[in-house]
Amino acid sequence: MTIAPVQRTATPGWTDARLILELEAVVETELDRHLKAAKEWMPHEYVPWSQGRDFDGVLGGEAWSLDQSKVTPLARVSLVVNLLTEDNLPSYHHEIASMFGREGAWGTWVHRWTAEEGRHGIAIRDYLLATRAVDPVELERARMSHMSEGFESDNAHSMLQSVAYVAFQELATRIAHRNTGHHSGDPLCDQLLAKIANDENLHMVFYRNLLKAALEIAPDQAMRAIADVVTDFRMPGHGIPGFERAAAQIAIGGIYNLRIHHDDVLQPVLRKLKVMEVTGLGPVGQQAQDELGVFLDGLDSQATKFDERQAALLARRAAAAAAKQQ
């Protein structure tokens, strides 16, 4: 789902600098909670190194071919999208470090988050290469192409929108990794992506709790930020070469689609924050809350239509496969 971002003029009130300072104590509390909840894990333990062997090229090994891969075609597409998304970590780090700063609790969180995210890309790439799940040449070319374009968040102009975005995006990423593992056809891949998904869930909780505090401090601005992010949401990997086609395959395959986005990403966060129950809002906040309600109703209807098209397509595919076996 790629909806072009709409840039809105920031509402008057709390400045980014004041909010960052005001939320410092919340960040410190959430950082302490995160460090206690996070469990150390080693990426190398989830890579079947014994399956690895030299590729063709400098070492004169065996060239890659599709039949060497154990993962399903659907999982292969999703794994590449997930990995290339993780590969843009330098740009993500630059954005949040520039937004939140490198000092105090904010800075400690920025670096901790970056370190945890870094192992995701390491682990996925090592798994893919050791198991020969993807063409290494095409993977590297895609990485170079994607990273050479750089990354600029749709929400870099607003601290509140940045916090609101990652509260939803981290959960979306968790679900994408977890569902990819379920569809992979390889129990080890499933275990690896479960570990990564757990990290992403802890990141989501951090940002969700920070957003909750922002709603209490600056309810009108926070509500506006939430509405803007939800209505304009798109995944950070949208700039990946061939993303639209890959996203369609991922959607039809049931890894991530409109129904999952509505039911398993947007609604859980909004319910936890009780966004639609917030009262006492000013005109700006009330308008944002109303817009959010209308949008969610429309998205639910779109998701229902997608469900129907998906079911029909999968039924046609199943019938065609059955006919071939006769």
Side-chain angles (χ1 to χ4, degrees), residues 148-184:
S148 295
E149 291 296 319
F151 174 83
E152 183 177 356
S153 169
D154 298 334
N155 308 289
H157 61 289
S158 166
M159 177 268 185
L160 276 178
Q161 284 196 206
S162 295
V163 171
Y165 176 75
V166 287
F168 295 103
Q169 178 265 318
E170 293 283 5
L171 181 54
T173 304
R174 168 193 176 270
I175 289 172
H177 282 306
R178 200 70 189 94
N179 286 345
T180 300
H182 290 330
H183 286 80
S184 68

mmCIF file of all heavy atoms in Angstrom, residues 148-184:
data_model
loop_
_atom_site.group_PDB
_atom_site.id
_atom_site.type_symbol
_atom_site.label_atom_id
_atom_site.label_comp_id
_atom_site.label_asym_id
_atom_site.label_seq_id
_atom_site.Cartn_x
_atom_site.Cartn_y
_atom_site.Cartn_z
ATOM 1 N N SER A 148 21.661 3.515 -2.823
ATOM 2 C CA SER A 148 22.184 4.657 -3.581
ATOM 3 C C SER A 148 21.139 5.753 -3.740
ATOM 4 O O SER A 148 21.480 6.926 -3.951
ATOM 5 C CB SER A 148 22.670 4.202 -4.955
ATOM 6 O OG SER A 148 23.777 3.332 -4.841
ATOM 7 N N GLU A 149 19.865 5.378 -3.653
ATOM 8 C CA GLU A 149 18.794 6.364 -3.743
ATOM 9 C C GLU A 149 18.621 7.130 -2.439
ATOM 10 O O GLU A 149 18.026 8.206 -2.404
ATOM 11 C CB GLU A 149 17.470 5.673 -4.089
ATOM 12 C CG GLU A 149 17.410 5.112 -5.501
ATOM 13 C CD GLU A 149 17.498 6.212 -6.543
ATOM 14 O OE1 GLU A 149 16.870 7.281 -6.350
ATOM 15 O OE2 GLU A 149 18.206 6.001 -7.545
ATOM 16 N N GLY A 150 19.132 6.559 -1.334
ATOM 17 C CA GLY A 150 18.966 7.209 -0.039
ATOM 18 C C GLY A 150 17.550 7.035 0.480
ATOM 19 O O GLY A 150 16.699 6.400 -0.149
ATOM 20 N N PHE A 151 17.287 7.583 1.635
ATOM 21 C CA PHE A 151 15.959 7.473 2.240
ATOM 22 C C PHE A 151 15.638 8.764 2.972
ATOM 23 O O PHE A 151 16.466 9.307 3.703
ATOM 24 C CB PHE A 151 15.908 6.302 3.223
ATOM 25 C CG PHE A 151 14.609 6.216 3.989
ATOM 26 C CD1 PHE A 151 13.502 5.598 3.432
ATOM 27 C CD2 PHE A 151 14.491 6.775 5.258
ATOM 28 C CE1 PHE A 151 12.295 5.528 4.128
ATOM 29 C CE2 PHE A 151 13.298 6.696 5.965
ATOM 30 C CZ PHE A 151 12.196 6.072 5.394
ATOM 31 N N GLU A 152 14.433 9.242 2.750
ATOM 32 C CA GLU A 152 13.947 10.413 3.485
ATOM 33 C C GLU A 152 12.538 10.104 3.955
ATOM 34 O O GLU A 152 11.642 9.837 3.159
ATOM 35 C CB GLU A 152 13.946 11.663 2.603
ATOM 36 C CG GLU A 152 13.507 12.913 3.372
ATOM 37 C CD GLU A 152 13.572 14.173 2.517
ATOM 38 O OE1 GLU A 152 14.036 14.086 1.361
ATOM 39 O OE2 GLU A 152 13.143 15.232 3.013
ATOM 40 N N SER A 153 12.352 10.134 5.260
ATOM 41 C CA SER A 153 11.058 9.808 5.834
ATOM 42 C C SER A 153 10.007 10.829 5.426
ATOM 43 O O SER A 153 10.297 12.018 5.282
ATOM 44 C CB SER A 153 11.165 9.758 7.364
ATOM 45 O OG SER A 153 9.886 9.690 7.959
ATOM 46 N N ASP A 154 8.772 10.355 5.259
ATOM 47 C CA ASP A 154 7.659 11.257 4.995
ATOM 48 C C ASP A 154 7.367 12.142 6.194
ATOM 49 O O ASP A 154 6.639 13.130 6.074
ATOM 50 C CB ASP A 154 6.392 10.451 4.670
ATOM 51 C CG ASP A 154 6.547 9.606 3.418
ATOM 52 O OD1 ASP A 154 7.354 9.972 2.550
ATOM 53 O OD2 ASP A 154 5.856 8.574 3.322
ATOM 54 N N ASN A 155 7.926 11.783 7.355
ATOM 55 C CA ASN A 155 7.561 12.457 8.603
ATOM 56 C C ASN A 155 8.718 13.221 9.246
ATOM 57 O O ASN A 155 8.630 13.615 10.408
ATOM 58 C CB ASN A 155 7.037 11.413 9.595
ATOM 59 C CG ASN A 155 5.937 10.564 8.993
ATOM 60 O OD1 ASN A 155 4.831 11.020 8.780
ATOM 61 N ND2 ASN A 155 6.256 9.309 8.674
ATOM 62 N N ALA A 156 9.804 13.414 8.474
ATOM 63 C CA ALA A 156 10.995 14.040 9.034
ATOM 64 C C ALA A 156 10.768 15.486 9.471
ATOM 65 O O ALA A 156 11.560 16.039 10.227
ATOM 66 C CB ALA A 156 12.137 13.981 8.017
ATOM 67 N N HIS A 157 9.681 16.097 8.999
ATOM 68 C CA HIS A 157 9.409 17.491 9.330
ATOM 69 C C HIS A 157 8.756 17.661 10.696
ATOM 70 O O HIS A 157 8.594 18.794 11.171
ATOM 71 C CB HIS A 157 8.483 18.096 8.276
ATOM 72 C CG HIS A 157 7.151 17.408 8.189
ATOM 73 N ND1 HIS A 157 7.016 16.146 7.670
ATOM 74 C CD2 HIS A 157 5.908 17.791 8.594
ATOM 75 C CE1 HIS A 157 5.739 15.776 7.747
ATOM 76 N NE2 HIS A 157 5.058 16.754 8.296
ATOM 77 N N SER A 158 8.392 16.547 11.344
ATOM 78 C CA SER A 158 7.641 16.644 12.594
ATOM 79 C C SER A 158 8.066 15.565 13.567
ATOM 80 O O SER A 158 8.013 14.372 13.246
ATOM 81 C CB SER A 158 6.138 16.519 12.310
ATOM 82 O OG SER A 158 5.412 16.280 13.512
ATOM 83 N N MET A 159 8.465 15.976 14.765
ATOM 84 C CA MET A 159 8.854 15.015 15.791
ATOM 85 C C MET A 159 7.679 14.124 16.169
ATOM 86 O O MET A 159 7.826 12.900 16.300
ATOM 87 C CB MET A 159 9.387 15.773 17.008
ATOM 88 C CG MET A 159 9.757 14.911 18.188
ATOM 89 S SD MET A 159 8.370 14.712 19.328
ATOM 90 C CE MET A 159 9.180 13.795 20.635
ATOM 91 N N LEU A 160 6.500 14.696 16.334
ATOM 92 C CA LEU A 160 5.332 13.905 16.720
ATOM 93 C C LEU A 160 4.936 12.925 15.628
ATOM 94 O O LEU A 160 4.551 11.791 15.909
ATOM 95 C CB LEU A 160 4.158 14.827 17.063
ATOM 96 C CG LEU A 160 4.113 15.383 18.488
ATOM 97 C CD1 LEU A 160 2.919 16.321 18.663
ATOM 98 C CD2 LEU A 160 4.030 14.255 19.516
ATOM 99 N N GLN A 161 5.000 13.355 14.396
ATOM 100 C CA GLN A 161 4.664 12.436 13.312
ATOM 101 C C GLN A 161 5.699 11.325 13.205
ATOM 102 O O GLN A 161 5.361 10.182 12.883
ATOM 103 C CB GLN A 161 4.540 13.180 11.977
ATOM 104 C CG GLN A 161 3.237 13.951 11.866
ATOM 105 C CD GLN A 161 2.909 14.374 10.444
ATOM 106 O OE1 GLN A 161 2.218 15.348 10.244
ATOM 107 N NE2 GLN A 161 3.380 13.634 9.454
ATOM 108 N N SER A 162 6.951 11.636 13.500
ATOM 109 C CA SER A 162 7.980 10.606 13.476
ATOM 110 C C SER A 162 7.709 9.543 14.533
ATOM 111 O O SER A 162 7.809 8.338 14.267
ATOM 112 C CB SER A 162 9.362 11.236 13.710
ATOM 113 O OG SER A 162 9.710 12.107 12.652
ATOM 114 N N VAL A 163 7.337 9.973 15.739
ATOM 115 C CA VAL A 163 7.035 9.028 16.816
ATOM 116 C C VAL A 163 5.784 8.223 16.471
ATOM 117 O O VAL A 163 5.737 6.999 16.669
ATOM 118 C CB VAL A 163 6.855 9.762 18.155
ATOM 119 C CG1 VAL A 163 6.319 8.827 19.240
ATOM 120 C CG2 VAL A 163 8.183 10.371 18.611
ATOM 121 N N ALA A 164 4.767 8.903 15.959
ATOM 122 C CA ALA A 164 3.533 8.206 15.596
ATOM 123 C C ALA A 164 3.801 7.177 14.496
ATOM 124 O O ALA A 164 3.290 6.054 14.546
ATOM 125 C CB ALA A 164 2.477 9.204 15.139
ATOM 126 N N TYR A 165 4.604 7.543 13.526
ATOM 127 C CA TYR A 165 4.879 6.628 12.417
ATOM 128 C C TYR A 165 5.543 5.342 12.897
ATOM 129 O O TYR A 165 5.108 4.233 12.553
ATOM 130 C CB TYR A 165 5.762 7.304 11.365
ATOM 131 C CG TYR A 165 6.162 6.365 10.254
ATOM 132 C CD1 TYR A 165 5.248 5.990 9.278
ATOM 133 C CD2 TYR A 165 7.449 5.825 10.209
ATOM 134 C CE1 TYR A 165 5.600 5.105 8.270
ATOM 135 C CE2 TYR A 165 7.808 4.940 9.209
ATOM 136 C CZ TYR A 165 6.873 4.587 8.245
ATOM 137 O OH TYR A 165 7.232 3.698 7.258
ATOM 138 N N VAL A 166 6.595 5.471 13.703
ATOM 139 C CA VAL A 166 7.304 4.261 14.108
ATOM 140 C C VAL A 166 6.475 3.405 15.058
ATOM 141 O O VAL A 166 6.674 2.187 15.142
ATOM 142 C CB VAL A 166 8.686 4.590 14.721
ATOM 143 C CG1 VAL A 166 9.645 5.015 13.635
ATOM 144 C CG2 VAL A 166 8.594 5.649 15.808
ATOM 145 N N ALA A 167 5.534 4.013 15.777
ATOM 146 C CA ALA A 167 4.652 3.217 16.633
ATOM 147 C C ALA A 167 3.859 2.212 15.807
ATOM 148 O O ALA A 167 3.628 1.074 16.241
ATOM 149 C CB ALA A 167 3.703 4.125 17.416
ATOM 150 N N PHE A 168 3.451 2.615 14.619
ATOM 151 C CA PHE A 168 2.734 1.707 13.714
ATOM 152 C C PHE A 168 3.702 0.878 12.862
ATOM 153 O O PHE A 168 3.505 -0.320 12.662
ATOM 154 C CB PHE A 168 1.801 2.499 12.794
ATOM 155 C CG PHE A 168 0.694 3.196 13.524
ATOM 156 C CD1 PHE A 168 0.755 4.567 13.773
ATOM 157 C CD2 PHE A 168 -0.424 2.502 13.977
ATOM 158 C CE1 PHE A 168 -0.272 5.220 14.449
ATOM 159 C CE2 PHE A 168 -1.449 3.142 14.653
ATOM 160 C CZ PHE A 168 -1.373 4.508 14.891
ATOM 161 N N GLN A 169 4.750 1.512 12.377
ATOM 162 C CA GLN A 169 5.660 0.842 11.451
ATOM 163 C C GLN A 169 6.399 -0.311 12.097
ATOM 164 O O GLN A 169 6.617 -1.358 11.464
ATOM 165 C CB GLN A 169 6.641 1.869 10.873
ATOM 166 C CG GLN A 169 7.679 1.285 9.934
ATOM 167 C CD GLN A 169 8.969 0.966 10.660
ATOM 168 O OE1 GLN A 169 9.430 1.736 11.495
ATOM 169 N NE2 GLN A 169 9.574 -0.169 10.326
ATOM 170 N N GLU A 170 6.803 -0.157 13.360
ATOM 171 C CA GLU A 170 7.512 -1.250 14.023
ATOM 172 C C GLU A 170 6.609 -2.478 14.161
ATOM 173 O O GLU A 170 7.070 -3.612 14.021
ATOM 174 C CB GLU A 170 8.008 -0.802 15.404
ATOM 175 C CG GLU A 170 9.101 0.261 15.374
ATOM 176 C CD GLU A 170 10.472 -0.299 15.034
ATOM 177 O OE1 GLU A 170 10.580 -1.501 14.721
ATOM 178 O OE2 GLU A 170 11.444 0.468 15.071
ATOM 179 N N LEU A 171 5.338 -2.253 14.423
ATOM 180 C CA LEU A 171 4.405 -3.375 14.506
ATOM 181 C C LEU A 171 4.188 -3.995 13.128
ATOM 182 O O LEU A 171 4.134 -5.218 12.990
ATOM 183 C CB LEU A 171 3.071 -2.921 15.099
ATOM 184 C CG LEU A 171 1.997 -4.004 15.270
ATOM 185 C CD1 LEU A 171 2.525 -5.195 16.064
ATOM 186 C CD2 LEU A 171 0.754 -3.414 15.941
ATOM 187 N N ALA A 172 4.085 -3.151 12.112
ATOM 188 C CA ALA A 172 3.932 -3.658 10.745
ATOM 189 C C ALA A 172 5.132 -4.513 10.353
ATOM 190 O O ALA A 172 4.981 -5.582 9.741
ATOM 191 C CB ALA A 172 3.774 -2.494 9.768
ATOM 192 N N THR A 173 6.329 -4.065 10.711
ATOM 193 C CA THR A 173 7.541 -4.820 10.392
ATOM 194 C C THR A 173 7.575 -6.134 11.157
ATOM 195 O O THR A 173 7.965 -7.178 10.613
ATOM 196 C CB THR A 173 8.786 -3.982 10.725
ATOM 197 O OG1 THR A 173 8.712 -2.736 10.029
ATOM 198 C CG2 THR A 173 10.055 -4.704 10.316
ATOM 199 N N ARG A 174 7.171 -6.104 12.416
ATOM 200 C CA ARG A 174 7.112 -7.338 13.211
ATOM 201 C C ARG A 174 6.225 -8.370 12.519
ATOM 202 O O ARG A 174 6.596 -9.538 12.377
ATOM 203 C CB ARG A 174 6.558 -7.041 14.598
ATOM 204 C CG ARG A 174 6.183 -8.292 15.389
ATOM 205 C CD ARG A 174 5.359 -7.935 16.618
ATOM 206 N NE ARG A 174 4.924 -9.129 17.315
ATOM 207 C CZ ARG A 174 3.791 -9.781 17.083
ATOM 208 N NH1 ARG A 174 2.975 -9.346 16.131
ATOM 209 N NH2 ARG A 174 3.472 -10.866 17.761
ATOM 210 N N ILE A 175 5.052 -7.943 12.098
ATOM 211 C CA ILE A 175 4.106 -8.869 11.483
ATOM 212 C C ILE A 175 4.625 -9.377 10.139
ATOM 213 O O ILE A 175 4.474 -10.559 9.803
ATOM 214 C CB ILE A 175 2.737 -8.183 11.341
ATOM 215 C CG1 ILE A 175 2.112 -8.013 12.733
ATOM 216 C CG2 ILE A 175 1.811 -8.980 10.423
ATOM 217 C CD1 ILE A 175 0.869 -7.179 12.750
ATOM 218 N N ALA A 176 5.254 -8.500 9.369
ATOM 219 C CA ALA A 176 5.803 -8.913 8.078
ATOM 220 C C ALA A 176 6.878 -9.980 8.268
ATOM 221 O O ALA A 176 6.918 -10.980 7.528
ATOM 222 C CB ALA A 176 6.376 -7.704 7.342
ATOM 223 N N HIS A 177 7.762 -9.791 9.245
ATOM 224 C CA HIS A 177 8.796 -10.792 9.507
ATOM 225 C C HIS A 177 8.166 -12.102 9.995
ATOM 226 O O HIS A 177 8.537 -13.186 9.536
ATOM 227 C CB HIS A 177 9.766 -10.275 10.573
ATOM 228 C CG HIS A 177 10.775 -9.297 10.070
ATOM 229 N ND1 HIS A 177 11.595 -9.566 8.995
ATOM 230 C CD2 HIS A 177 11.120 -8.061 10.503
ATOM 231 C CE1 HIS A 177 12.396 -8.535 8.784
ATOM 232 N NE2 HIS A 177 12.127 -7.603 9.682
ATOM 233 N N ARG A 178 7.225 -11.986 10.930
ATOM 234 C CA ARG A 178 6.642 -13.198 11.520
ATOM 235 C C ARG A 178 5.883 -14.006 10.466
ATOM 236 O O ARG A 178 6.017 -15.235 10.402
ATOM 237 C CB ARG A 178 5.697 -12.809 12.669
ATOM 238 C CG ARG A 178 5.422 -13.953 13.626
ATOM 239 C CD ARG A 178 6.659 -14.286 14.443
ATOM 240 N NE ARG A 178 6.496 -15.519 15.210
ATOM 241 C CZ ARG A 178 6.879 -16.720 14.806
ATOM 242 N NH1 ARG A 178 7.425 -16.876 13.617
ATOM 243 N NH2 ARG A 178 6.742 -17.778 15.571
ATOM 244 N N ASN A 179 5.105 -13.333 9.656
ATOM 245 C CA ASN A 179 4.344 -14.053 8.636
ATOM 246 C C ASN A 179 5.248 -14.627 7.546
ATOM 247 O O ASN A 179 4.957 -15.685 6.984
ATOM 248 C CB ASN A 179 3.283 -13.138 8.022
ATOM 249 C CG ASN A 179 2.120 -12.900 8.965
ATOM 250 O OD1 ASN A 179 1.951 -13.618 9.956
ATOM 251 N ND2 ASN A 179 1.316 -11.888 8.687
ATOM 252 N N THR A 180 6.338 -13.927 7.265
ATOM 253 C CA THR A 180 7.300 -14.468 6.300
ATOM 254 C C THR A 180 7.869 -15.782 6.810
ATOM 255 O O THR A 180 7.998 -16.758 6.058
ATOM 256 C CB THR A 180 8.440 -13.469 6.044
ATOM 257 O OG1 THR A 180 7.900 -12.247 5.513
ATOM 258 C CG2 THR A 180 9.449 -14.032 5.057
ATOM 259 N N GLY A 181 8.196 -15.819 8.097
ATOM 260 C CA GLY A 181 8.703 -17.050 8.682
ATOM 261 C C GLY A 181 7.703 -18.178 8.590
ATOM 262 O O GLY A 181 8.040 -19.321 8.234
ATOM 263 N N HIS A 182 6.437 -17.867 8.857
ATOM 264 C CA HIS A 182 5.386 -18.889 8.791
ATOM 265 C C HIS A 182 5.235 -19.446 7.383
ATOM 266 O O HIS A 182 4.894 -20.620 7.206
ATOM 267 C CB HIS A 182 4.047 -18.297 9.241
ATOM 268 C CG HIS A 182 3.988 -17.986 10.708
ATOM 269 N ND1 HIS A 182 4.684 -18.688 11.663
ATOM 270 C CD2 HIS A 182 3.293 -17.026 11.391
ATOM 271 C CE1 HIS A 182 4.429 -18.196 12.862
ATOM 272 N NE2 HIS A 182 3.602 -17.185 12.719
ATOM 273 N N HIS A 183 5.462 -18.620 6.376
ATOM 274 C CA HIS A 183 5.285 -19.035 4.983
ATOM 275 C C HIS A 183 6.587 -19.528 4.345
ATOM 276 O O HIS A 183 6.596 -19.843 3.157
ATOM 277 C CB HIS A 183 4.744 -17.869 4.147
ATOM 278 C CG HIS A 183 3.302 -17.558 4.382
ATOM 279 N ND1 HIS A 183 2.857 -16.815 5.454
ATOM 280 C CD2 HIS A 183 2.181 -17.898 3.691
ATOM 281 C CE1 HIS A 183 1.543 -16.698 5.407
ATOM 282 N NE2 HIS A 183 1.110 -17.342 4.346
ATOM 283 N N SER A 184 7.666 -19.598 5.101
ATOM 284 C CA SER A 184 8.976 -19.875 4.511
ATOM 285 C C SER A 184 9.180 -21.322 4.093
ATOM 286 O O SER A 184 9.961 -21.608 3.182
ATOM 287 C CB SER A 184 10.091 -19.476 5.491
ATOM 288 O OG SER A 184 10.085 -20.336 6.626
#
